[in-house]
C-alpha cells in the first residue's frame, strides 16, 4: 500500500496493488474525489505523468491511463505539449448550469486581468483538441481516400480564373448566392424542404451554425432539450450560450416527446437528429415527428433539425425532413459538407425561416463578416456539374461495403464479445459490450492496443449511461478495418493479463491507415 | 405645403418646397422624429419608396435620399429586395447600452417564437450588407487590380498536391502550425512583438477576432473604451457582447488617456489602433503608449491593439507595437490579411498572451472548430517564398502613388473646397469640408453623382461629431481616381441647383473601376 501526499499535501493518494481494482482506476478515483470535493481547485496544473509516476513509484502508463480517464470525462483539460489542468467547469457543473461561472478565478500564470465569466465557460469547453487522424475506428470522418482531389483542384483553378475583381472584396454575409440557390434546390428535391436560396445561410460548418443559432435564439438560462445520448459539439455550443441542457431520452422511435414534457414543459429550443439519431442511429418515426411539432407549437419552442449525414442512406427513401412538415416557421435546419465532402473545407449551412433570413445574415456579418469565396465557388461548380451527386452515390456504396466488412470481421473474431446490428445508413456503428464491461476502461485498453474506439457512455450528459462502443468505419479502408478488428480482439484478451492492460499492447503503437 | 397622414395616421408628414431645407431632408427629419419618439416602433415596415413618393407626390429620388439617410444612421434597416424596417435598436440605444433589449418584441411576419434578447441585438447590428465594389472612393479595400492572382493560384495548386489524407479532416482550432510560426517570425521582425507561433490564433478575419475576444474577455455590461471616432465593425462586435461603449476622444498623439480616465476610470477593455488611428490616421505617440500601459495596469484593463494596416507605411520605421512594450500580458494584438492580401480569403489572427493560447484555442474550437486548410497553406507558401514581403513592398509604392494622385486631383479641382493633408501611410485620407457643409448630405449628393465617399461623422458613436470625408484610394486605379474627383467636383456644384441635388446627377449612374 503506497500512501503519498501530493500537491503540497492537499491530497493524499493511497494505492494498493493487491486490490481487485487496477492501480490506474484507483488513482483516477482518488484524484476525481479530490477534484469534485474542491481540494484540488480549477486551474491547478497537474504534475507531468513522468513526474507523478516517479513520485508514486508507478509505471508511467498507469498514470497516463488515470489522466486519460479524467480527461475523457472532462475533469482535466490537456493539450499536447502543455500539460494538464483541473477544469474550472466540472462535468457535474455542465448539466443544467443555472448560474454563470464565478468570475473570481483568475488563471494563476500571469498578471493580466481575468477572463470574463462567459469567457471562462467558453475557454474550458472544447470540441476537438487537434488533428483527428483517420485511424480505425475514429468516428465522424468521411473517406479521405475516396475523395476526388484532382477533380476538385481542377474546379478550384477554373473558378479562380472566373473571379472578377468585385468578388475579391467583402461579400454577402449569408454566402455565395449561386451556391445557396443550388443547395436550396438540392434540399427541396431530396429532403422536401420548404426553402429558397435566400433562406440558406452559409457557415463554416455545423459548429458555427450551432454557435450562431444559439446566440440568435437563446438567452442565458434558457432550457434546451437535447437528445440523450448526443453530440458533444452541440452541448458545447449550447452551454457556451448559457443554455440549461435538459437531456431527453431516445427510444426506437427517436426523441421521447412525452418524457421531455415531464422533464421540462417549456423548453425554448429542441435539438434533434431525426434522420439518424446521433450516435444511436435511430430514425425518428413519422408519428413522433408530428407529436414533436405539435408539442413545439403548444409550448412555443424552436426546433433545430441537424441532418448531419442524411445523404448516406444506402437504399430506399428517407422520411421527409421535420422542416418540411412545419407550418409555423419554427424549424431551423442544419446541414454540413464535412461529412459529404471533407471537414477541411469548413462548409456548412443553416436553412432558416424566410422571415429570419435577413436577421441571420446580419448576425453572421457581426460574427465573421462572410464566408471565404473560393471553397464556395468550387462547391457550386462541383454541384452544378453533377459531381456532387455522383460522389454521394459512390460514397453510399463505399460506406455500405465498409460497414459490411466491419460487421463480418467483428462477427468472425469478436462474435461472442461484441454485438452489432447492421444499419441502413451512416458512417458509424454502435456495438454492445457484455454485461459488466466498462466501456471507458475498454476504450483505454483498445487505445493502448493501437485502435481508437469511443465509449458510448461518453455521449451522455448524465446518468444513467448505456455502455457500448461507437465504431466509425467510413474513413477506414477495408484492409485497415480488418487489422483494426484484429487489434480490437487483442484488446479484448488483454485485460486477462494481470498487469495493467496498457502494458500488453503499447509497444505496437498506433496503426496508420 | 403638403401634409399627409402615414402609417395608419400614426405619423403626419408636412413638407414645404419653399423652405431652405431640401425636401428629402425635411422628410428624413420628420420620419426620424417619429422613430425616436416611438410613434413608429421597431419592426414596422416602411412603404416602398415608389409608394411613399406617390402618396406624398414627391419624386422617388427624394424619398430614396431620405431613406438612405435613415439607413446610414441606423434608424432603418434595409436589404435589397426586402424593403426597409424601423430598427429595434436605435443609434441612441447603441451608445452605453446598459440594458438588454426587451425580449417581448416578436417579428410580425411569422408564428414562430421570438428571438432572444441577445439575438435581437446581434441581428439588428450589421457590418456590411452585401458586396462592396472597388468604386471610387470606397474605403477599406486593397488594390484588387494589383494582386498576383496567378502566382497565388499556382501556390494553391501546389499546396493541394502536397495535402496528406490526415490534413483533410478536423485540425488544430488555432490554425495551421507552419503558418502561425511564420506569422510570429514576421511580427517579431517587423513589429517587435513578443510571441511564439503557438500564441498566434488564426481567425477568419478581424471581425471574428473581435467577436472571439469580446466573448472571452467581456461580460454583459462591462465598460469598454473605444476611440472616438472609430470602426463600426468593432462597435458591433462589442455591442453584440453586451459591452457598454465609452467613446474616448483622440488628439494628435492618439487616444487621450486622461480624458478616458475621467469618463470611465475602470474600463474592462481598451480598444486602440495605435499604428494609424482609424479613421483619422494619427499615430499614437510613444509617450501616450506608455501612459496607456501604466493606466491599464493600474485599472486592471485589457488592451486590444488593432494593427489593421501597419504594413502600409510608405517610408521610415513604424513605432514598435504596444504589445512589444507590455510586461504584464494584457495586450491582445489583432492582425488581418484582408488589407495586405484580399478580404475574400477571410484570414486574420490574434496574438494572445502565452498563458491564454490554450484558452483561445478552446474557444475557437467551440465557435467554429478550426479555420479552413487551403487558404492557410497557400498563405504559408506565399510568405515562405518571399512573395508576401514583395507584395507588401509593391503595394506601398502603389498606395503612395495613388494617394499622391488623389491629393493632386483634389487640389487641382477642389482646392478651394476640400482640404487634404498627405499621410505617410495607409489606404485612405480624411478631407476637411468647408464650415457649414453637412458631410452626410454631401455624401448623398456625391452618391447620386456616381462617387462613393464616407461621411466622417458616421464613424462617431456620439456628439460632437467632426464633419469631413473619408476617401479610400488604395483600391482605385489612377484613371478612376481622376474620374472620381471629377464627379466629386460635380457633386460640389450640384447643391447650387435648387431642386433635390440627387436629380442632377443620378442619370450618370455608378462608375465602374
Amino acid at each position: 500500500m503506497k500512501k503519498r501526499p501530493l500537491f503540497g499535501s492537499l491530497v493524499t493518494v493511497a494505492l494498493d496493488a493487491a486490490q481487485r481494482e487496477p492501480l490506474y482506476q484507483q488513482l483516477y478515483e482518488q484524484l476525481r474525489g479530490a477534484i469534485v470535493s474542491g481540494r484540488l481547485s480549477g486551474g491547478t496544473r497537474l504534475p507531468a505523468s513522468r513526474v507523478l509516476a516517479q513520485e508514486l513509484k508507478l509505471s508511467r502508463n498507469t498514470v497516463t491511463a488515470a489522466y486519460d480517464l479524467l480527461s475523457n470525462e472532462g475533469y482535466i483539460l490537456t493539450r499536447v505539449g502543455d500539460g494538464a489542468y483541473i477544469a474550472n467547469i466540472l462535468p457535474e457543473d455542465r448539466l443544467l448550469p443555472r448560474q454563470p461561472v464565478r468570475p473570481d478565478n483568475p488563471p494563476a500564470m500571469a498578471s493580466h486581468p481575468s477572463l470574463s465569466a462567459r469567457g471562462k465557460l467558453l475557454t474550458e469547453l472544447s470540441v476537438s483538441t487537434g488533428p483527428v487522424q483517420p485511424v480505425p475506428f475514429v468516428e465522424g470522418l468521411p473517406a479521405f481516400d475516396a475523395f476526388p482531389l484532382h477533380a476538385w483542384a481542377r474546379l478550384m483553378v477554373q473558378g479562380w480564373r472566373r473571379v472578377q475583381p468585385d468578388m475579391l472584396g467583402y461579400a454577402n454575409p449569408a454566402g455565395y448566392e449561386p451556391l445557396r440557390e443550388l443547395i436550396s434546390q438540392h434540399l427541396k428535391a431530396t429532403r422536401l424542404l420548404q426553402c429558397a436560396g435566400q433562406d440558406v445561410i452559409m457557415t463554416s460548418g455545423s459548429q458555427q451554425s450551432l454557435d450562431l443559432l444559439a446566440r440568435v435564439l437563446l438567452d442565458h438560462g434558457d432550457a434546451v432539450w437535447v437528445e440523450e445520448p448526443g453530440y458533444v459539439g452541440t452541448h458545447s455550443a449550447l452551454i457556451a450560450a448559457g443554455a440549461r441542457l435538459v437531456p431527453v431520452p431516445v427510444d426506437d422511435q427517436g426523441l421521447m416527446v412525452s418524457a421531455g414534457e415531464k422533464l421540462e414543459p417549456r423548453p425554448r429550443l429542441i435539438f434533434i437528429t431525426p434522420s439518424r439519431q446521433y450516435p444511436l442511429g435511430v430514425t425518428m418515426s413519422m408519428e413522433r415527428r408530428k407529436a414533436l411539432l405539435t408539442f413545439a407549437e403548444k409550448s412555443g419552442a424552436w426546433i433545430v433539425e441537424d441532418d448531419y449525414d442524411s445523404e448516406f442512406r444506402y437504399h430506399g427513401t428517407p422520411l421527409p425532413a421535420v422542416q418540411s412538415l412545419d407550418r409555423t416557421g419554427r424549424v431551423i435546419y442544419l446541414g454540413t459538407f464535412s461529412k459529404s465532402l471533407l471537414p477541411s473545407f469548413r462548409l456548412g449551412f443553416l436553412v432558416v425561416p424566410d422571415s429570419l433570413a435577413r436577421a441571420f445574415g446580419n448576425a453572421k456579418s457581426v460574427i465573421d463578416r462572410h464566408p471565404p469565396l473560393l471553397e464556395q465557388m468550387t462547391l457550386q461548380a462541383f454541384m452544378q456539374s453533377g459531381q456532387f451527386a455522383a460522389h454521394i452515390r459512390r460514397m453510399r456504396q463505399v460506406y455500405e461495403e465498409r460497414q459490411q466488412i466491419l460487421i463480418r470481421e467483428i462477427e468472425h473474431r469478436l462474435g461472442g464479445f461484441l454485438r452489432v446490428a447492421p444499419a441502413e445508413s451512416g458512417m458509424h456503428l454502435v456495438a454492445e459490450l457484455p454485461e459488466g464491461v466498462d466501456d471507458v476502461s475498454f476504450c483505454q485498453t483498445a487505445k493502448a492496443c493501437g485502435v481508437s474506439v469511443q465509449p458510448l457512455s461518453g455521449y451522455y450528459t448524465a446518468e444513467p449511461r448505456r455502455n457500448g462502443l461507437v465504431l466509425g468505419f467510413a474513413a477506414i479502408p477495408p484492409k485497415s478495418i480488418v487489422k483494426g478488428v484484429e487489434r480490437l480482439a487483442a484488446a479484448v484478451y488483454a485485460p486477462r493479463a494481470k498487469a495493467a492492460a496498457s502494458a500488453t499492447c503499447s509497444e505496437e503503437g498506433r496503426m496508420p491507415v
Side-chain angles (χ1 to χ4, degrees), chain A:
Chain A
M1 174 90 161
K2 297 171 184 175
K3 195 162 176 171
R4 312 277 300 202
L6 288 175
F7 299 94
S9 303
L10 269 175
V11 178
T12 302
V13 169
L15 305 175
D16 188 351
Q19 276 188 33
R20 199 185 58 85
E21 262 193 331
L23 287 172
Y24 77 91
Q25 186 82 27
Q26 295 178 38
L27 180 58
Y28 152 74
E29 273 164 11
Q30 292 180 36
L31 288 175
R32 184 177 166 281
I35 296 167
V36 172
S37 68
R39 273 173 291 145
L40 285 180
S41 60
T44 308
R45 189 177 188 132
L46 290 170
S49 55
R50 195 186 303 273
V51 173
L52 188 59
Q54 278 179 347
E55 195 153 353
L56 295 175
K57 304 209 165 37
L58 294 169
S59 94
R60 194 172 165 204
N61 280 337
T62 306
V63 175
T64 312
Y67 278 17
D68 278 348
L69 281 178
L70 290 167
S71 169
N72 280 348
E73 300 192 2
Y75 292 101
I76 65 176
L77 304 160
T78 55
R79 175 145 299 178
V80 176
D82 189 32
Y85 299 83
I86 311 287
N88 277 323
I89 316 290
L90 301 181
E92 285 77 1
D93 300 327
R94 292 198 188 171
L95 195 62
L96 315 184
R98 286 178 184 274
Q99 294 292 326
V101 197
R102 55 279 170 194
D104 48 359
N105 205 347
M109 51 285 257
S111 53
H112 58 64
S114 62
L115 303 188
S116 63
R118 166 172 50 201
K120 289 217 180 74
L121 199 56
L122 190 59
T123 58
E124 293 190 353
L125 297 162
S126 166
V127 176
S128 62
T129 52
V132 181
Q133 315 280 339
V135 293
F137 291 100
V138 156
E139 187 274 312
L141 296 182
F144 298 156
D145 56 316
F147 188 80
L149 289 173
H150 293 296
W152 186 266
R154 214 166 22 244
L155 292 175
M156 199 164 72
V157 172
Q158 284 168 6
W160 192 244
R161 286 210 198 98
R162 282 202 317 274
V163 158
Q164 299 295 313
D166 63 350
M167 298 167 75
L168 299 174
Y170 295 103
N172 190 324
Y176 182 55
E177 284 88 349
L179 173 61
R180 293 159 68 202
E181 184 56 40
L182 276 185
I183 291 175
S184 79
Q185 286 169 15
H186 174 73
L187 293 174
K188 280 191 279 193
T190 61
R191 309 292 297 120
L192 305 184
L193 241 58
Q194 319 170 69
C195 67
Q198 67 183 29
D199 307 327
V200 177
I201 312 290
M202 295 306 300
T203 66
S204 62
S206 287
Q207 198 62 36
Q208 187 178 56
S209 298
L210 289 163
D211 186 55
L212 177 58
L213 71 86
R215 292 170 75 185
V216 170
L217 304 180
L218 298 177
D219 280 314
H220 193 94
D222 281 347
V224 174
W225 284 14
V226 291
E227 295 170 329
E228 177 84 329
Y231 172 54
V232 66
T234 305
H235 301 161
S236 295
L238 293 169
I239 291 168
R244 182 163 59 82
L245 301 193
V246 181
V248 176
V250 169
D251 65 8
D252 60 358
Q253 290 201 66
L255 183 88
M256 294 172 73
V257 179
S258 54
E261 199 165 354
K262 277 176 206 130
L263 289 165
E264 170 55 65
R266 298 283 295 175
R268 177 94 180 129
L269 189 150
I270 299 169
F271 180 87
I272 49 170
T273 51
S275 283
R276 182 170 149 77
Q277 201 278 331
Y278 184 90
L280 296 179
V282 179
T283 300
M284 194 180 213
S285 68
M286 183 52 92
E287 194 186 332
R288 203 56 77 70
R289 288 171 197 234
K290 288 182 178 161
L292 180 68
L293 277 167
T294 304
F295 169 76
E297 284 178 39
K298 188 179 71 180
S299 63
W302 291 101
I303 294 174
V304 174
E305 175 174 29
D306 183 355
D307 218 18
Y308 66 102
D309 77 350
S310 68
E311 308 287 3
F312 299 120
R313 192 180 176 85
Y314 313 139
H315 306 289
T317 316
L319 285 177
V322 172
Q323 198 264 15
S324 73
L325 309 169
D326 173 35
R327 295 288 163 264
T328 57
R330 66 182 60 244
V331 178
I332 313 280
Y333 178 96
L334 249 81
T336 179
F337 294 100
S338 294
K339 313 297 176 204
S340 51
L341 298 176
L342 292 173
S344 64
F345 295 142
R346 309 314 303 135
L347 282 172
F349 59 87
L350 293 167
V351 180
V352 303
D354 195 45
S355 57
L356 291 179
R358 192 173 51 94
F360 269 88
N362 285 354
K364 172 76 178 150
S365 81
V366 174
I367 71 170
D368 74 350
R369 232 160 153 162
H370 68 88
L373 178 68
L374 189 69
E375 281 85 356
Q376 293 190 88
M377 281 183 72
T378 311
L379 174 55
Q380 191 267 337
F382 196 68
M383 292 180 88
Q384 183 80 63
S385 64
Q387 292 178 77
F388 179 73
H391 180 61
I392 295 291
R393 276 196 306 273
R394 208 162 42 238
M395 287 306 98
R396 282 189 195 134
Q397 289 171 13
V398 168
Y399 295 166
E400 185 178 19
E401 184 197 315
R402 291 182 179 185
Q403 195 203 80
Q404 284 168 353
I405 295 170
L406 174 60
I407 291 175
R408 187 192 70 206
E409 290 299 306
I410 286 178
E411 283 172 352
H412 174 54
R413 292 186 175 272
L414 286 165
F417 188 78
L418 287 182
R419 277 182 39 199
V420 285
E424 62 205 355
S425 68
M427 302 165 68
H428 70 261
L429 280 176
V430 176
E432 273 182 56
L433 281 167
E435 194 77 34
V437 176
D438 179 68
D439 58 359
V440 174
S441 316
F442 180 78
C443 290
Q444 288 297 323
T445 309
K447 194 178 171 191
C449 294
V451 57
S452 276
V453 279
Q454 293 76 221
L456 178 59
S457 65
Y459 294 71
Y460 285 77
T461 64
E463 304 294 339
R465 298 162 192 265
R466 241 179 83 186
N467 247 357
L469 301 181
V470 176
L471 301 160
F473 54 77
I476 323 297
K479 270 194 197 165
S480 298
I481 292 180
V482 175
K483 280 192 200 152
V485 174
E486 274 173 28
R487 297 197 170 203
L488 211 51
V492 170
Y493 298 103
R496 304 205 181 156
K498 202 66 197 139
S502 48
T504 318
C505 301
S506 56
E507 293 95 298
E508 303 184 36
R510 195 162 246 228
M511 177 173 62
V513 176

